[in-house]
């Protein structure tokens, strides 16, 4: 057994800040929507939602820069290698205590399912939420300038809300799947400290 | 070779995380309404010291105002005024305060002395002029023989008396007990008391008609009216309803109420009736609040309720139930609060204090029905006497607060037009309040009004809208967001647009929640199987 740095400092800050921002965005968003959450009060929830959205976008700009400059973006390139094995692992293997089919490596820390899920998150859900959010915020201006009909705001809102529910579902699945590591807390610990214990010494050579 | 285990600098991580958190919170706080610095919105004392300082004449020094004037001889006072203010009467005569008539879109007859109809006292031209004219800015308006060209008939004192002792009686003549010379020496610019003498008493009594105008404004605490309260800005009506050659800005029949006016040439007198004239169109610190200005009138949020003073306003007046007699005599009934629920003269009535307005798209144009206009009774059986114009799509329209006044009133069932009954008169005159006979009262009224009448009348339900714009509350009392941004809020029934917090497609939420529940179910089952296997 040995320890490797799986998640860089920036990566961890980015991850947890993003998690926190998204969770508060969810809470404020659902409060504004009128889904029975009364944490901040409508006016504060609206202000907070808008400000946090800008904070999240800023954070994402930094994250994109980090991914490009470090080459870490390659971690998210989808692959079919081990895809079938991963699906099989989650469907049956995991119950029987079969070892994880994909070993983590500094340069390949995401399994093929993670790659797909996170890529979808990054190129689909976040852009859709950001775009519909911006359209929503600037709707009065757009309506004025482009003559948009009132029903287009309804449409923007529906997409934004469905995206939000999608994020909640993502969060549920994401948190659950963190428990599928060596022990239920292995993955979360790695995301907090950056270090992960690798239990298969022969498999990789970090040197 | 392994890297030596680097100690992750947890403190640095924590600091960075905290920084990211604090930044948006700090920004979020900046968006919260903050008490703005006092920006000189004025005080009653400052305003009136300035107004007094500007005066160039002390009217008590004028010989011609020493009198004596004969008791009740208003025209004599006017003649005295006109010796200096030689063009004043001419100016007044050009205004609707004098003509009681307004032309609109090239059509005539939108005034009390012509064919305007309402669902309070209905109309004055069916022979009721003499008693209604106590609010005419003139002397002797009894009937249509009144000479509208005689300058001495203009009543200067009703608007310019500063003592508060002036009082008008039938046909607009002064109460004979009033010391006219004393009043004449103390004239000045109109204050709220002058305007209020008539405008607070529309519909026949204090607070009856408008809902946002009544006598309680004269001694209003700041919470009732930030502008007119002496604890507030201490303003007079004429500070917003500015005048130009005695023409006072404001007849609601023709002027869109929320149009910010700009002077077309230096020195032009422009009305300040629109809030934005003084407050600009972006007075809030919050960008989002300011943007509401596009579609929401300031009044909508800043006047949470009308008739917030001491007095109830009339919400319903059912003429069809008038005329019941007890032992052959007229009578009145009052409820526990002392509000009149029935009077033989008026019928059943509803009064209320502290009334939540109704909200309607409104671009400033109320399409008044006149006595000469025929109408069709809509499916709901209620004729709207002044339907407001406007919709979401109308760039000039905003959501406005209104007082809805409901009523039942007589109309000509053959011609489908409203009628002007003769109401105010003694027994034996044929007036409704004397003889309790609609047939005769309407016939006589329509004859006096010189309008066609088929001889057949019925009663129809009517509704009339009164824009609410006075009794602006302090900003702390402005509506909270959720008063409108909620499913059963004040705007629950305003059509034509998507409203955040109100319009929740339940299908969309169900779909989203379903998606989340399925995920929870999926991971739950998966986790349970894992757990059972581990135990096994």
């Amino acid at each position: 057994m040995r320890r490797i740095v799986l998640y860089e400092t920036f990566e961890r800050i980015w991850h947890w800040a993003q998690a926190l921002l998204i969770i508060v965005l969810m809470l404020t968003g659902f409060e504004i929507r009128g889904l029975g959450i009364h944490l901040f009060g409508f006016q504060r929830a609206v202000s907070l939602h808008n400000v946090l959205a800008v904070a999240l976008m800023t954070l994402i700009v930094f994250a994109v820069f980090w991914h490009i400059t470090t080459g870490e973006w390659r971690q998210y390139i989808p692959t079919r290698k081990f895809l079938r094995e991963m699906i099989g692992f989650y469907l049956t293997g995991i119950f029987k205590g079969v070892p994880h089919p994909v070993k983590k490596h500094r340069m390949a820390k995401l399994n093929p399912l993670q790659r797909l899920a996170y890529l979808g998150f990054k190129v689909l859900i976040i852009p859709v939420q950001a775009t519909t959010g911006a359209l929503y915020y600037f709707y009065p201006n757009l309506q004025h300038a482009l003559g948009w009909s009132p029903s287009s705001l309804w449409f923007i809102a529906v997409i934004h809300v469905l995206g939000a529910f999608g994020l909640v579902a993502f969060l549920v699945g994401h948190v659950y799947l963190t428990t599928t590591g060596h022990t239920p807390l292995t993955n979360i610990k790695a995301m907090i400290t950056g270090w992960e214990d690798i239990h298969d010494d022969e498999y990789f050579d970090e040197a | 070779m392994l890297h030596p285990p680097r100690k992750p600098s947890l403190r640095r991580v924590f600091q960075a995380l905290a920084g990211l958190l604090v930044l948006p919170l700090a920004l979020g706080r900046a968006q919260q309404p903050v008490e703005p610095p006092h920006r000189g919105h004025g005080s009653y004392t400052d305003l009136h010291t300035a107004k007094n300082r500007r005066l160039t004449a002390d009217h008590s020094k004028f010989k011609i105002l020493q009198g004596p004037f004969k008791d009740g001889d208003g025209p004599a006072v006017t003649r005295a005024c006109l010796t200096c203010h030689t063009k004043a009467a001419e100016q007044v005569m050009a205004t609707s305060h004098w003509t009681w008539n307004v032309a609109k879109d090239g059509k005539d007859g939108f005034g009390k002395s012509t064919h305007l109809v309402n669902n309070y006292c209905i109309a004055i031209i069916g022979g009721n002029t003499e008693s209604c004219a106590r609010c005419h800015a003139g002397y002797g308006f009894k009937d249509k023989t009144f000479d509208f060209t005689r300058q001495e008939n203009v009543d200067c004192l009703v608007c310019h008396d500063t003592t508060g002792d002036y009082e008008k009686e039938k046909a607009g003549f002064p109460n004979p007990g009033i010391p006219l010379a004393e009043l004449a020496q103390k004239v000045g610019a109109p204050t709220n008391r002058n305007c209020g003498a008539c405008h607070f008493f529309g519909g026949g009594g204090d607070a009856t008609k408008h809902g946002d105008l009544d006598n309680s404004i004269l001694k209003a605490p700041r919470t009732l009216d930030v502008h007119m309260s002496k604890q507030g800005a201490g303003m007079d009506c004429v500070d917003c309803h500015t005048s130009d050659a005695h023409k006072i800005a404001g007849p609601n029949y023709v002027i869109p109420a929320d149009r910010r006016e700009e002077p077309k040439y230096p020195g032009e007198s422009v009305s300040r009736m629109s809030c934005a004239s003084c407050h600009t169109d972006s007075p809030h610190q919050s960008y989002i609040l300011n943007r509401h200005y596009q579609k929401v009138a300031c009044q909508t949020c800043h006047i949470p309720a009308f008739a917030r003073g001491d007095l109830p306003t009339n919400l319903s007046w059912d003429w069809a139930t008038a005329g019941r007699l007890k032992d052959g005599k007229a009578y009145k009934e009052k409820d526990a609060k002392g509000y009149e629920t029935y009077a033989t003269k008026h019928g059943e009535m509803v009064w209320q204090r502290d009334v939540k307005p109704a909200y309607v798209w409104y671009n400033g144009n109320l399409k008044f029905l006149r006595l000469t206009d025929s109408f069709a009774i809509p499916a709901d059986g209620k004729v709207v006497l002044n339907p407001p114009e406007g919709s979401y799509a109308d760039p000039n329209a905003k959501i406005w607060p209104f007082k809805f006044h409901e009523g039942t009133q007589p109309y000509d069932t053959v011609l489908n037009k409203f009628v002007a009954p003769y109401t105010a008169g003694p027994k034996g005159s044929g007036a409704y309040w004397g003889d309790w006979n609609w047939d005769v009262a309407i016939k006589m009224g329509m004859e006096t009004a010189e309008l066609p009448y088929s001889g057949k009348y019925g009663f129809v339900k009517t509704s009339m809208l009164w824009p609410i714009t006075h009794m602006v509350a302090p900003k702390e009392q402005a509506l909270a967001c959720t008063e409108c941004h909620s499913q059963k809020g004040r705007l629950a029934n305003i059509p034509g647009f998507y409203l955040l917090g109100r319009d929740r497609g339940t299908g969309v939420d169900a779909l989203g929640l379903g998606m989340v529940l399925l995920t929870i179910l999926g991971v739950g089952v998966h986790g349970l199987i894992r757990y059972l296997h581990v135990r096994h």
Side-chain angles (χ1 to χ4, degrees), chain B residues 304-318:
Chain B
F306 56 86
R308 299 200 313 276
D310 311 327
L311 296 154
T313 189
N314 186 272
L315 293 186
S316 172
W317 183 327
D318 181 1

Side-chain angles (χ1 to χ4, degrees), chain A residues 9 12-13 16 192, chain B residues 8-19:
Chain A
T9 306
R12 275 145 40 219
I13 295 173
W16 289 113
I192 293 170
Chain B
S9 171
L10 271 175
R11 205 174 62 180
R12 274 222 320 271
V13 174
F14 182 76
Q15 278 171 349
L17 273 171

Side-chain angles (χ1 to χ4, degrees), chain B residues 32-308:
Chain B
Q32 295 302 314
V34 175
E35 186 78 24
H38 187 65
R39 278 182 300 185
H41 280 182
S43 75
Y44 177 79
T45 320
D46 292 350
L47 183 60
H48 288 83
T49 308
K51 282 182 178 182
N52 286 329
R53 194 184 63 232
R54 289 185 198 128
L55 298 176
T56 52
D58 176 353
H59 282 78
S60 67
K61 299 266 185 341
F62 293 115
K63 212 167 188 181
I64 198 159
L65 298 180
Q66 305 301 318
F69 301 105
K70 267 195 289 175
D71 284 350
D73 192 359
V77 179
T78 301
R79 281 195 299 272
C81 300
L82 291 175
T83 55
C84 291
H85 302 278
T86 55
K87 296 178 81 174
E90 198 184 306
Q91 289 180 357
V92 171
M93 285 171 159
T95 73
S96 54
H97 272 138
W98 175 258
T99 62
W100 275 14
N101 183 35
V102 174
K104 180 176 180 171
D105 305 329
K107 288 184 198 159
D108 196 45
F110 295 92
K112 297 183 220 308
S113 76
T114 49
H115 296 136
L116 205 65
V117 60
N118 68 46
N119 60 359
Y120 292 89
C121 305
I122 302 179
I124 72 165
I125 61 169
N128 307 315
T129 309
E130 189 175 13
S131 65
C132 299
R134 71 180 73 220
C135 268
H136 184 244
Y139 300 124
F141 191 14
K142 269 161 64 173
D143 51 37
K144 56 181 170 283
T145 63
F146 179 66
D147 188 354
F148 278 99
T149 64
R150 209 174 153 91
Q151 297 206 352
E152 65 177 36
N153 283 348
V154 170
D155 184 347
C156 306
L157 288 175
V158 68
C159 300
H160 294 287
D161 166 50
T162 61
T163 66
D165 295 333
Y166 191 67
E167 226 179 77
K168 279 161 80 75
E169 302 208 320
K170 275 193 176 176
F173 285 113
N175 179 325
I178 290 166
L180 290 172
E182 197 180 302
L183 268 60
Q185 290 167 37
K186 290 181 181 164
V187 289
T191 65
N192 297 340
R193 198 163 44 196
N194 299 92
C195 306
C198 288
H199 291 281
F200 293 165
F201 291 82
D206 199 357
T208 306
K209 193 182 262 179
H210 288 276
D212 61 343
L213 288 174
D214 63 50
N215 228 20
S216 46
I217 283 176
L218 295 184
K219 45 186 191 316
R222 189 169 169 271
T223 47
L224 176 60
D225 192 309
V226 287
H227 298 112
M228 291 187 268
S229 165
K230 291 183 171 75
Q231 297 149 26
M235 289 160 71
D236 290 310
C237 307
V238 294
D239 291 328
C240 296
H241 295 267
T242 54
S243 63
D244 189 343
H246 277 97
K247 188 179 180 335
I248 294 178
N252 196 44
Y253 309 124
V254 285
I255 294 185
D258 193 33
R259 205 65 53 82
R260 192 173 167 186
E261 290 181 39
E262 304 283 351
K264 289 181 282 297
Y265 49 84
E268 189 198 20
S269 164
V270 293
S271 104
R272 287 190 284 271
M273 278 160 56
S274 147
C275 310
S277 313
C278 299
H279 294 280
T280 79
D281 57 9
S282 45
H284 311 95
Q285 295 200 331
S286 153
Y287 175 60
I288 293 181
L289 285 183
N290 282 337
R291 282 199 315 192
H292 282 68
Y293 181 76
Q294 276 185 23
K295 292 290 178 194
V296 182
C298 311
Q299 289 86 338
T300 295
C301 301
H302 290 280
I303 309 175
F306 56 86
R308 299 200 313 276

Side-chain angles (χ1 to χ4, degrees), chain B residues 281-436:
Chain B
D281 57 9
S282 45
H284 311 95
Q285 295 200 331
S286 153
Y287 175 60
I288 293 181
L289 285 183
N290 282 337
R291 282 199 315 192
H292 282 68
Y293 181 76
Q294 276 185 23
K295 292 290 178 194
V296 182
C298 311
Q299 289 86 338
T300 295
C301 301
H302 290 280
I303 309 175
F306 56 86
R308 299 200 313 276
D310 311 327
L311 296 154
T313 189
N314 186 272
L315 293 186
S316 172
W317 183 327
D318 181 1
W319 280 103
T321 56
R324 289 178 203 146
L325 300 172
K326 253 185 200 167
D327 310 324
K329 280 182 191 156
Y331 69 100
K332 285 178 182 178
E333 275 169 6
K334 287 182 178 177
D335 66 8
K337 290 177 191 157
Y339 304 164
E340 192 177 289
T341 51
Y342 182 80
T344 307
K345 273 172 98 173
H346 306 131
E348 287 168 7
M349 283 184 156
V350 177
W351 299 84
Q352 201 182 321
R353 261 194 70 248
D354 205 12
V355 189
K356 232 186 221 188
Y359 301 91
V360 177
W361 284 111
Y362 174 50
N363 67 9
N365 185 21
L366 293 168
K367 292 172 284 182
F368 284 89
L369 269 177
R370 295 166 298 178
L371 291 166
T372 47
D373 298 318
S374 60
F375 57 84
I377 299 175
D380 67 354
K382 193 188 282 180
V383 179
V384 182
L385 295 183
N386 58 344
E389 199 174 72
S391 65
Y392 180 90
D394 182 341
N396 291 322
K398 295 182 181 197
I399 294 169
W400 263 84
F402 281 91
K403 170 187 165 179
F404 270 62
H405 185 256
E406 309 297 339
T408 305
Q409 68 193 94
Y411 76 110
D412 185 323
T413 53
V414 177
L415 299 175
N416 275 319
K417 291 176 182 178
F418 286 105
V419 293
Y422 173 31
T423 35
K427 197 167 176 60
S429 65
Y432 186 73
W433 291 345
D435 300 333
W436 314 114

